[in-house]
């Protein structure tokens, strides 16, 4: 069960990271907040389901039910957080460039040419880094 959960959440995280949707509009940020609320409500539902399975069908102990509920809930929260971190990195970099465009107009062409050349490889490096971090997160949750 633990290996299956590990691979499931790693694959979901990699799909979220590498899907190409890295810039959010205002409507997407609202959806991101709604997704956090859904994850938190889902945490309560998962907890009640595992407790019910523990008490009604005696599939496992209550302590094991609490542990499973915590692992599943944290896994969904980590999925949300991994995508948020990557999107925030892109948003911060975009805001820095907007700042330079308005307040540093004389040097902006130099900065823009540099970022056009080094920006896409740095985004790939950031995605690789976040991918490795997500593997470590799910390893710690599921296999430790």
């Amino acid at each position: 069960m633990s290996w299956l959960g590990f691979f499931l959440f790693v694959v979901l995280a990699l799909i979220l990271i590498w899907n190409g949707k890295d810039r959010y509009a205002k409507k997407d940020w609202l959806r991101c907040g709604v997704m956090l609320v859904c994850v938190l409500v889902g945490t309560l539902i998962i907890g009640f389901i595992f407790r019910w399975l523990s008490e009604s069908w005696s599939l496992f102990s209550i302590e094991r039910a609490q542990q499973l509920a915590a692992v599943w809930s944290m896994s969904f929260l980590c999925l949300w957080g991994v995508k948020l971190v990557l999107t925030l990195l892109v948003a911060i970099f975009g805001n820095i460039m907007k700042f330079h465009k308005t307040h540093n107009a004389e040097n902006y062409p130099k900065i823009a040419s540099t970022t056009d050349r080094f920006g896409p490889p740095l985004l790939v490096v950031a995605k690789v880094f976040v991918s490795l971090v997500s593997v470590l997160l799910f390893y710690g949750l599921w296999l430790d």
Side-chain angles (χ1 to χ4, degrees):
M1 168 86 173
S2 60
W3 279 99
L4 180 66
F6 170 72
F7 284 120
L8 173 75
F9 281 101
V10 166
V11 167
L12 286 173
L14 292 176
I15 289 170
L16 280 174
I17 292 168
W18 294 94
N19 69 355
K21 178 100 170 120
D22 299 326
R23 297 188 188 275
Y24 277 6
K26 290 185 185 210
K27 183 176 156 184
D28 295 324
W29 284 109
L30 179 65
R31 193 175 74 211
C32 183
V34 170
M35 288 303 295
L36 174 62
V37 172
C38 289
V39 166
L40 295 176
V41 169
T43 298
L44 292 173
I45 293 170
I46 288 171
F48 285 127
I49 288 172
F50 278 120
R51 184 161 181 112
W52 177 75
L53 287 173
S54 170
E55 290 176 349
S56 298
W57 290 9
S58 300
L59 293 177
F60 33 76
S61 67
I62 291 179
E63 292 81 21
R64 179 70 177 151
Q66 290 172 344
Q67 181 186 15
L68 285 172
V71 168
W72 278 88
S73 301
M74 287 302 297
S75 295
F76 284 116
L77 190 62
C78 285
L79 278 178
W80 177 82
V82 161
K83 184 61 178 179
L84 180 69
V85 164
L86 185 63
T87 306
L88 285 175
L89 285 172
V90 171
I92 289 169
F93 182 72
N95 286 338
I96 289 171
M97 290 306 294
K98 283 181 191 175
F99 175 82
H100 279 288
K101 188 174 187 176
T102 57
H103 299 292
N104 192 9
E106 63 274 357
N107 292 326
Y108 179 74
K110 294 179 205 173
I111 296 170
S113 67
T114 304
T115 57
D116 289 342
R117 189 173 45 219
F118 294 114
L122 286 177
L123 179 61
V124 171
V125 168
K127 285 185 176 192
V128 167
F129 180 72
V130 172
S131 297
L132 292 174
V133 168
S134 68
V135 170
L136 286 175
L137 280 170
F138 293 120
Y139 177 81
L141 282 172
W142 286 95
L143 301 178
D144 192 32

